[in-house]
């Protein structure tokens, strides 16, 4: 008879980063706390100096660096990135502050199995510099969105969104910090749903949560 409860291995992930890796840290912390059933097989960065790599090493995770500057085209970079990831056979690929646009060929390979977290209330402000753009356009609310990645940049089906106020006196930095706190809550939650088999992308491209079509993302602030 077994005396120990056997730990289920958890959903296998490869996490792609470029920078600080605080979203990666939220996943590591959730896993260690026992409330996120994941197995981070590898952390891949396009920058050797990304602090997220240090976080990964501290957590004894496997790391890889694939520097985009060593490649002559996006296609050439992605042609090496795809098998690098595939070697770890992840069930889900996580973009966590990954700053390189991915080619349609790459995205197709991981269709329905790749999430991004984007620092805006999509479809508002796709692309870069979202916090400054939200301030400049006088938004009273801002936030972050978890979405399935498609070839349309930041245009894939959104599954979960968190809202924060834009406060008087905010600059891009103070606003980004407020958004990031919410990111650390909603990214683990979306991954928990996926790991539990509750969240998937239907063949017609609609996300399903518990079998119900999500025509608009779940609002975290209303849960
Ligand atoms: N790739 C595809 N095909 N689809 C998406 O939705 C993607 C993606 C790759 C990354 C993250 C995204 C974000 O959340 C993401 C979503 C990088 C850029 C960008 O312009 C834009 C959006 C995102 C990531 N990157 C520049 C580039 O030329 C480089 C900028 C830099 O290195 O600082 O790739 O915001
Ligand atoms: C996060 O705010 C994430 O949403 C954003 O970068 C930050 C990464 O922080 N992603 C993008 O802008 C993608 N282009 P982290 O490295 O501390 O997780």
């Amino acid at each position: 008879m077994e005396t120990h409860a056997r730990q289920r291995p958890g959903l296998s992930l490869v996490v792609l980063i470029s920078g600080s890796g605080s979203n990666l840290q939220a996943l590591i912390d959730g896993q260690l706390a026992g409330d996120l059933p994941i197995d981070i097989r590898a952390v891949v960065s396009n920058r050797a100096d990304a602090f997220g790599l240090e976080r990964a090493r501290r957590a004894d995770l496997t790391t890889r660096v694939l520097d985009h500057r060593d490649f002559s085209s996006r296609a050439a970079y992605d042609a090496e990135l795809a098998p690098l990831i595939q070697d770890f056979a992840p069930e889900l690929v996580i973009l966590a502050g990954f700053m390189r646009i991915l080619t349609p060929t790459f995205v197709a390979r991981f269709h329905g199995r790749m999430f991004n977290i984007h620092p805006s209330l999509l479809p508002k402000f796709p692309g870069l510099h979202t916090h400054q753009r939200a301030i400049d356009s006088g938004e009273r609310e801002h936030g972050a969105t978890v979405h399935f990645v498609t070839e349309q940049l930041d245009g894939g089906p959104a599954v979960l969104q968190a809202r924060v106020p834009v406060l008087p006196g905010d600059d891009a930095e103070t606003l980004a910090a407020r958004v990031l706190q919410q990111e650390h809550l909603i990214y683990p939650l979306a991954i928990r749903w996926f790991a539990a088999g509750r969240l998937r992308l239907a063949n017609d491209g609609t996300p399903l949560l518990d079998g119900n079509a999500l025509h608009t993302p779940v609002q975290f602030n209303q849960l």
Side-chain angles (χ1 to χ4, degrees):
M1 197 182 108
E2 276 195 72
T3 49
H4 296 280
R6 192 180 293 273
Q7 193 82 16
R8 278 194 145 276
L11 185 82
S12 54
L13 305 183
V14 167
V15 182
L16 272 56
I17 63 166
S18 299
S20 162
S22 70
N23 277 291
L24 166 67
Q25 190 69 55
L27 303 185
I28 292 169
D29 292 348
Q31 196 269 329
L32 289 174
D35 53 26
L36 188 58
I38 57 170
D39 169 20
I40 303 175
R41 295 265 173 90
V43 174
V44 181
S45 175
N46 67 308
R47 296 191 178 275
D49 62 354
F51 182 65
L53 289 171
E54 180 59 27
R55 297 181 191 269
R57 288 188 288 263
R58 288 177 190 174
D60 272 320
L61 298 175
T62 298
T63 61
R64 294 285 186 275
V65 174
L66 194 64
D67 191 330
H68 60 278
R69 293 170 301 185
D70 295 340
F71 295 82
S72 57
S73 68
R74 278 186 205 280
Y77 182 74
D78 286 7
E80 189 129 332
L81 181 61
L84 189 162
I85 294 169
Q86 204 63 71
D87 279 352
F88 294 102
E91 294 166 282
L92 187 64
V93 175
I94 294 296
L95 306 186
F98 185 67
M99 296 307 292
R100 299 301 303 171
I101 297 171
L102 297 162
T103 57
T105 307
F106 180 96
V107 170
R109 195 150 165 180
F110 298 101
H111 183 76
R113 301 190 290 130
M114 180 157 51
F115 282 158
N116 179 42
I117 189 157
H118 179 77
S120 81
L121 296 173
L122 290 172
K124 284 182 176 170
F125 310 117
L128 303 177
H129 313 296
T130 57
H131 309 298
Q132 191 60 54
R133 287 158 63 203
I135 290 169
D136 291 347
S137 65
E139 298 290 325
R140 300 186 53 194
E141 260 192 332
H142 186 46
T145 306
V146 178
H147 66 91
F148 281 102
V149 175
T150 67
E151 59 183 77
Q152 197 191 343
L153 185 68
D154 296 324
V159 301
L160 182 58
Q161 209 161 59
R163 297 171 179 271
V164 301
V166 180
L167 298 177
D170 262 337
D171 59 18
E173 201 177 332
T174 58
L175 184 54
R178 193 174 305 121
V179 170
L180 204 50
Q181 286 188 336
Q182 298 299 305
E183 294 187 36
H184 300 160
L185 302 177
I186 65 174
Y187 219 178
L189 178 56
I191 293 166
R192 192 179 304 124
W193 287 345
F194 191 88
R198 296 180 57 192
L199 176 62
R200 67 183 181 88
L201 197 59
N203 290 330
D204 69 355
T206 312
L208 300 178
L209 181 63
D210 297 330
N212 301 313
L214 292 179
H215 297 297
T216 57
V218 175
Q219 296 299 314
F220 180 71
N221 311 70
Q222 291 171 19
L223 288 179

